[in-house]
Amino acid sequence: MNNTDSNHGLERYIGNTIRELRNKQDLTISDVSDLTGISRGMLSKIENAQTAMSLDTLSRLSRALGVSLSILFRNYDVPDGGAQMVRQGEGMEVVRRGTKRGHTYHLLAYDQGPNKQFEPFLITMNDESEVFPTFEHPGTEFIHILDGVIEYRHGQKTYVLKKGDSLTFRGDIPHGPENLIKLPISFLSIIIYNTNITN
């Protein structure tokens, strides 16, 4: 894209933004003309991207519309979004050690390719079995308790975690549930790869 095309794109964006702000406030072009001292013909050209504007003109328009100058450019040249959404109850159920004992693991995001950056799980536990799996994996793990009370082991230490509590730890040290104190238990577990955490 050459500079002329780029400039015209900016003029079109600013013109549309000014029109939207004016319409939101139920202002006519005549109203804005009276507030800014800019002729109605010039305002029409501005909104239709038929003329370039000086900073002074933009400043007068932003004051008349009750916004800062930066608001006029806020969403210009913002990249397209591409977020991955997983609706409630639609996370991919995965089988891990413990799934046969009333433990359910739902993967909440699906990272494609061999190099995963993170894995977020929603884990629910509703079984009082006294045998719990332990895990070891690369990276750092973060867990946040959503419901229930659990005693969680990391290495030689255990932590009693209640609703609202969080725990962050190295994944390469054996860890996992030690005791299910209050059922049902649900928590978020986010495994972040290629990072290290020091004690």
Side-chain angles (χ1 to χ4, degrees), residues 17-127:
T17 301
I18 289 169
R19 182 186 297 109
E20 288 173 9
L21 289 169
R22 177 174 64 76
N23 288 334
K24 278 183 181 178
Q25 299 178 43
D26 293 323
L27 294 172
T28 65
I29 284 183
S30 182
D31 292 331
V32 176
S33 177
D34 292 340
L35 291 167
T36 61
I38 301 169
S39 72
R40 286 175 291 178
M42 177 60 75
L43 288 170
S44 179
K45 286 183 178 181
I46 289 171
E47 289 190 0
N48 290 291
Q50 294 173 347
T51 186
M53 292 160 279
S54 67
L55 283 174
D56 177 64
T57 298
L58 283 172
S59 180
R60 283 192 279 166
L61 283 166
S62 67
R63 283 197 303 270
L65 296 168
V67 298
S68 66
L69 194 57
S70 63
I71 291 292
L72 298 181
F73 298 90
R74 181 173 55 187
N75 293 318
Y76 179 69
D77 205 24
V78 173
D80 289 338
Q84 182 186 88
M85 182 176 74
V86 176
R87 293 196 181 278
Q88 181 178 351
E90 294 182 2
M92 180 190 299
E93 188 167 339
V94 296
V95 176
R96 299 187 73 183
R97 281 176 293 166
T99 54
K100 293 183 179 179
R101 297 189 176 95
H103 305 180
T104 306
Y105 298 79
H106 284 101
L107 186 59
L108 301 180
Y110 318 127
D111 201 1
Q112 301 295 323
N115 299 319
K116 292 183 174 67
Q117 294 182 334
F118 75 105
E119 285 185 310
F121 293 93
L122 174 61
I123 301 172
T124 57
M125 298 180 173
N126 56 18
D127 186 274

